[in-house]
Every structure is written in structure tokens, then in C-alpha cells.
Amino acid sequence: MRLGVMFDRDLPPESLVPFCRHLETTEVDDVWVVEDLGWTGAVSSAATALAVTERLRVGIGITPAPLRNPALLAMELGNLARLHPGRLAAGIGHGVQDWMRQVGALAPSPLALLEETITAVRGLLRGETVTLQGRAVRFDGVSLVHPPAVVPPLLAGVVRPRSLELSGRVAQGTILPEGVGPRQIEEALKLTGEDDHEMVVFVHLYLGDDASVVTGLAEDSAGFLKVAPEEVVMAVGSPEEAADRIRSLWEAGARTVVVRPYGPDPLPQVDLLLERLR
């Protein structure tokens, strides 16, 4: 069981360095960076986080397949994996469809694009010469000159049943978004169907009693997941309540739980949580 902390997209990019250096001194296993349209690029954030730490695994959660040519993505990930062997986990997803439409990158078949992207990137990272004539990805004898000795795991950031089945076929793990609970984790594990498949679960963390904050977080996740706000699972309230919620996600089968602390000063919340999880 692993515990990760997300560097929230609303935090100033220059605070990533002290954020990671603080987590390096704690019992946290991972730091996760994001790639949302208009915020920051995940590869540059991951490179920075890896460069200023020695122990933490750095997760990319997640890069949208429509925005990344698989050859370029494999080159970037391979470079990071060679420089920091064993400390990178890369999430790839469909991308938020409205955002992809905004930048003219909406895929005709998101499922095909994601499967072919993961397949191509995995092959390149393993040092293979990849030829692929797919619906969305077309490679003709492409290979990396410097493939990594330690191949980083690729995880699919998905939530719907067909996408979860795809993740089980081609990825080494799955990333589930904020708001899912034990029942959804158990269902996802059935669909991915692999014993060595890493299930990563993101969860909102808010240690406080401001009901408007809790409501806002629940409504945001509910809109994305297309569920009622009361169905959204979050680590909120007291440190004890948040710790119990995280334990329930581990018990349901999540191998890695990544907390997304709310607010401009997230690290004190992480420290309080760690005290209760010890």
C-alpha cells in the first residue's frame, strides 16, 4: 500500500520544488503532477520533481493521449526513466473531451487512440522497433536510441467500463479519479482483471469544517463522474476521519492512494494526516 500526494494544479508552479523537498522528508511514497489544459505541463513538472528528490516516485496523472504523439511521449518518458531509474510512473488518458475540442485535438475514436498510444509507447520504452498501422497511430519502424534500462509503468487514467477493460489489456495500472469509493474500486478491479495491475486512486483531502468547501469539492467530482454529490467519496473532516477514509480505499484494493489537499497551504494537512496513518 502506497500513499501519494498530488501537487494541485492551482498551486504556483514555483512552489513545486519546496513542496517535493518537504515530502521527501516524510513517509509519503509518491508525488503526483497533473496536466490540465491551461495549467502546467506534466513532463516538465515531473522532470523538476525528480531532479530535486532522491527517494520519491513521481507520477504523471495524467497526460492526454490526443495532445501527445506517442513517439515524442516515449522519448520524454524514456529520458526521465534513464536519468531517474525506478522512480517514474506515467499516466495516459483520453483527455477531457471539451478541452480536446478547444484545441482541435478531439479524437474520432478515443478508445482506439488510447489503446494504440499505450501499446506504442510501451513497445518503444522496452527497446522494441515498433510498426503499427492502427486507426489512430501509424508507426513504421520507430525505435528509441536510448531506451531505459528500467521501464516505467504506464497507467491508464480511465473510469468507464470499456476503458477499464482496455487498461487491463494494455496498461500496467489504472488511475481512478477523485470521488470514487470502495465499491467503484472493486468494480474496476474486476474489469481490469490483472493481479499485478496497480490501482491508483485519487481522493480530495480537506481537514476542516467549512461546509462550503466540502460541498464545492463534492459537486466538482460529481459533475465529472456523473453521480450525485452525496455519492462522492472524499477524505474530509478531522484527521482521524480522513485517515479512516484512506484506509477504506486501501482495503477495497487500491494499491496507491493519492491525496489531493485543498487550499493554498496543503502541506500542514498532509503532515496531520500522516500522524494519524502511522
Side-chain angles (χ1 to χ4, degrees):
M1 296 183 293
R2 305 177 64 91
L3 180 69
V5 179
M6 182 185 296
F7 182 76
D8 193 87
R9 64 189 187 182
D10 287 332
L11 295 172
E14 60 272 18
S15 65
L16 176 60
V17 170
F19 185 92
C20 292
R21 285 176 173 161
H22 178 86
L23 293 180
E24 180 89 341
T25 68
T26 71
E27 300 93 336
V28 167
D29 301 292
D30 297 358
V31 60
W32 285 73
V33 297
V34 300
E35 183 162 274
D36 287 344
L37 182 63
W39 275 269
T40 60
V43 173
S44 58
S45 296
T48 300
L50 287 163
V52 300
T53 57
E54 296 181 357
R55 178 188 63 80
L56 291 171
R57 184 175 73 163
V58 176
I60 293 175
I62 60 177
T63 184
L67 290 183
R68 299 279 187 175
N69 182 282
L72 180 59
L73 182 56
M75 290 159 61
E76 298 281 20
L77 298 178
N79 196 33
L80 292 178
R82 282 187 70 102
L83 289 166
H84 309 280
R87 292 210 296 130
L88 177 68
I92 307 172
H94 296 299
V96 176
Q97 296 304 287
D98 286 344
W99 291 347
M100 298 302 99
R101 187 178 293 107
Q102 274 186 278
V103 296
L106 194 63
S109 176
L111 280 170
L113 175 60
L114 183 59
E115 180 163 1
E116 292 166 11
T117 295
I118 294 174
T119 299
V121 172
R122 283 192 69 184
L124 292 172
L125 292 174
R126 288 194 297 252
E128 300 170 3
T129 298
V130 177
T131 295
L132 176 61
Q133 296 299 316
R135 293 177 61 185
V137 177
R138 295 173 178 84
F139 277 11
D140 183 9
V142 180
S143 60
L144 296 183
V145 175
H146 301 293
V150 180
V151 179
L154 300 185
L155 302 92
V158 292
V159 67
R160 306 300 174 201
R162 290 178 64 195
S163 296
L164 287 165
E165 291 172 352
L166 180 159
S167 181
R169 288 197 306 274
V170 300
Q172 292 154 286
T174 296
I175 301 170
L176 296 178
E178 298 91 340
V180 304
R183 178 178 58 81
Q184 293 94 333
I185 293 170
E186 292 167 0
E187 292 172 355
L189 286 167
K190 293 176 184 177
L191 290 167
T192 54
E194 294 290 337
D195 292 338
D196 59 349
H197 195 85
E198 181 179 3
M199 191 63 66
V200 178
V201 178
F202 293 168
V203 62
H204 285 295
L205 173 67
Y206 171 63
L207 304 183
D209 55 7
D210 188 334
S212 65
V213 171
V214 175
T215 299
L217 294 174
E219 289 177 348
D220 285 348
S221 290
F224 179 77
L225 294 173
K226 295 181 174 57
V227 299
E230 57 268 23
E231 296 180 56
V232 171
V233 173
M234 300 181 292
V236 298
S238 69
E240 293 80 6
E241 290 170 322
D244 286 344
R245 177 65 73 189
I246 289 165
R247 291 189 187 100
S248 75
L249 300 177
W250 277 328
E251 290 167 0
R255 190 181 305 175
T256 302
V257 174
V258 180
V259 297
R260 181 182 178 181
Y262 172 82
D265 190 21
L267 291 174
Q269 295 187 71
V270 175
D271 292 339
L272 285 171
L273 175 67
L274 289 172
E275 289 178 7
R276 300 308 186 277
L277 285 173
R278 288 190 180 106

